[in-house]
Amino acid sequence: MGKGVTLSKKHGLNPSMAVCPIYGKAESVALLGHIKGDEEAPRYIQGDICDECKARVADNKCFVISVGEDQRLKRYTIVSKDIFTQKVEGCAVLMKEADFNAVFNKH
């Protein structure tokens, strides 16, 4: 059996809402418990891509997601997986924001 959740002395289970990084739709609750310094959990955290978004890229497509220095999603585009030279597993590829802008911004 797993280790479980260590409760926060101030905040108990200390929950956050896990949201889809594409739409921002709340998908589930994350029970964080004790966080270093017994901080209160953020109201929202980035979760997995939701089923609706996965359906948008079901036909051999994927999201290419621009990620900033702060590790947050900035923008995305949907492309065919056939454009990649290596096989893409899953429904998303992450790119540094500068690289994303160099590839996908129209000149």
Side-chain angles (χ1 to χ4, degrees):
M1 186 169 179
K3 194 174 171 184
V5 175
T6 303
L7 296 179
S8 161
K9 286 184 179 15
K10 288 168 48 177
H11 309 290
L13 286 175
N14 212 8
S16 288
M17 291 297 300
V19 299
C20 172
I22 303 297
Y23 272 146
K25 176 182 170 187
E27 285 294 305
S28 61
V29 175
L31 302 176
L32 303 180
H34 179 79
I35 298 175
K36 187 176 180 178
D38 209 16
E39 296 290 323
E40 184 175 10
R43 185 172 298 255
Y44 299 100
I45 60 173
Q46 182 173 302
D48 293 330
I49 295 174
C50 70
D51 290 341
E52 289 175 44
C53 288
K54 288 177 184 175
R56 292 176 59 199
V57 293
D59 297 325
N60 199 41
K61 293 181 261 179
C62 69
F63 292 101
V64 178
I65 300 172
S66 167
V67 179
E69 294 284 327
D70 57 2
Q71 299 301 305
R72 291 180 183 254
L73 172 129
K74 299 296 182 179
R75 297 173 31 199
Y76 70 89
T77 190
I78 297 174
V79 299
S80 170
K81 289 182 180 179
D82 295 333
I83 69 167
F84 297 101
T85 57
Q86 294 183 352
K87 185 176 180 177
V88 174
E89 298 291 334
C91 64
V93 174
L94 304 179
M95 288 180 79
K96 292 179 182 176
E97 185 176 19
D99 296 333
F100 182 95
N101 292 340
V103 172
F104 293 104
N105 279 350
K106 297 191 186 329
H107 301 285

